[in-house]
Amino acid sequence: MMFTNNPFAALTDFLPPLVMQVYIVLMALAVVAGTLFDVVHKGSAKFFARRREKSEAAAQRRLSGGETASLAMKTIAEAAVSGEFCKWPRRISHLLMMYGFLLYLITTVTMIFAYPAGASTPAILPALWTVGALMILAGGLWFFFFLRVNVAYDGASPFHLGHADLFVGSLLVSVAFALLWHFMQTTVGHATSTRILFGLYLFFTTLLFVSVPWSKFAHMFFKPAVAFQRRIEEANGSSDLPSPAAESHIVRS
């Protein structure tokens, strides 16, 4: 059954478990290296350092440790519910992708490291892996074909791809091939087709993680940092950004 079989267990027929474990570690290192490269290349670290210095110099009052911790918790809570999106379709789409990706990633790592042979894998893990993958596809395809700015507002074709689509595009293709590979593995059982689909899954998964400097993957780390810094500036009185009320007045004008 597709929902109860560890999809990585069958790999032991032609790959030692250590190979996939090393692959996971390499992909994690690729994300770290890519994010650091992105920070240095775009000058994000310098920008935040200068912004922090400017904020501290212009602060009208000093925040206590408790206030800072409270602002950090509010930022985390907002990120957890995608509170930065005002319109519910984009928020739901983003939440499906975010929590689907976390579920998919955690169950993948757990099955590869804790249950490489597959025999004792709890049925809940492959079930959650499949559910996570389906959540990614549901949220990602909804966003890709209906909610992207250039599609929803500029009238561009949903098949028009740009630089900003690299992350979502590679994620969707990777997950799609993961499900096809698992389906072929558990139902048809054709060895050659299964290995081809696994190869495609591995290729697009690698593309997803090694393309961090050129995709929006690192964006998920920057957004909470920017939101937290804005909260700090608003709280200490150093913000030079218009308040939401002022922004609404400008829009209406």
Side-chain angles (χ1 to χ4, degrees):
M1 285 291 292
M2 185 172 176
F3 276 84
T4 57
N5 288 344
N6 181 343
F8 302 98
L11 296 179
T12 55
D13 294 340
F14 63 97
L15 280 179
L18 183 62
V19 173
M20 284 304 295
Q21 292 170 356
V22 170
Y23 174 80
I24 293 290
V25 173
L26 290 176
M27 292 303 99
L29 292 175
V31 171
V32 173
T35 303
L36 291 176
F37 175 83
D38 190 69
V39 168
V40 173
H41 178 67
K42 294 180 180 177
S44 302
K46 291 182 179 179
F47 169 79
F48 279 115
R50 290 171 182 169
R51 187 82 191 185
R52 191 179 302 109
E53 291 176 0
K54 181 181 177 181
S55 173
E56 291 175 354
Q60 298 178 12
R61 71 185 189 90
R62 299 298 173 186
L63 301 181
S64 67
E67 287 178 303
T68 303
S70 176
L71 293 175
M73 292 302 296
K74 289 179 180 179
T75 304
I76 294 172
E78 181 182 52
V81 295
S82 297
E84 71 273 21
F85 296 113
C86 297
K87 296 186 177 181
W88 67 266
R90 291 183 68 85
R91 179 179 292 193
I92 294 175
S93 169
H94 191 269
L95 288 173
L96 283 170
M97 284 191 288
M98 179 172 67
Y99 286 108
F101 181 71
L102 287 174
L103 195 59
Y104 175 75
L105 182 65
I106 291 170
T107 51
T108 295
V109 172
T110 303
M111 287 189 287
I112 288 176
F113 280 91
Y115 305 98
S120 58
T121 306
I124 189 65
L125 288 175
L128 291 176
W129 182 84
T130 306
V131 169
L134 292 173
M135 287 172 64
I136 293 171
L137 287 180
L141 291 173
W142 187 13
F143 168 79
F144 203 82
F145 287 103
F146 301 102
L147 303 178
R148 282 188 297 159
V149 173
N150 60 335
V151 174
Y153 300 105
D154 299 338
S157 168
F159 297 99
H160 175 76
L161 301 177
H163 179 269
D165 302 316
L166 178 59
F167 170 61
V168 175
S170 57
L171 175 62
L172 289 175
V173 177
S174 168
V175 170
F177 276 118
L179 290 175
L180 287 172
W181 159 60
H182 190 31
F183 175 78
M184 182 67 69
Q185 176 193 103
T186 53
T187 56
V188 181
H190 190 272
T192 302
S193 300
T194 299
R195 293 186 182 186
I196 290 174
L197 288 171
F198 173 72
L200 291 169
Y201 159 60
L202 210 61
F203 171 79
F204 284 104
T205 301
T206 304
L207 176 64
L208 172 67
F209 291 117
V210 302
S211 63
V212 168
W214 303 278
S215 73
K216 294 184 69 175
F217 194 105
H219 190 58
M220 69 176 68
F221 303 111
F222 299 146
K223 286 176 68 177
V226 172
F228 177 63
Q229 182 60 30
R230 177 167 182 167
R231 287 180 183 274
I232 290 289
E233 293 176 5
E234 289 174 347
N236 67 18
S238 65
S239 177
D240 56 4
L241 298 173
S243 66
E247 288 177 345
S248 300
H249 177 72
I250 292 172
V251 172
R252 286 195 298 269
S253 300

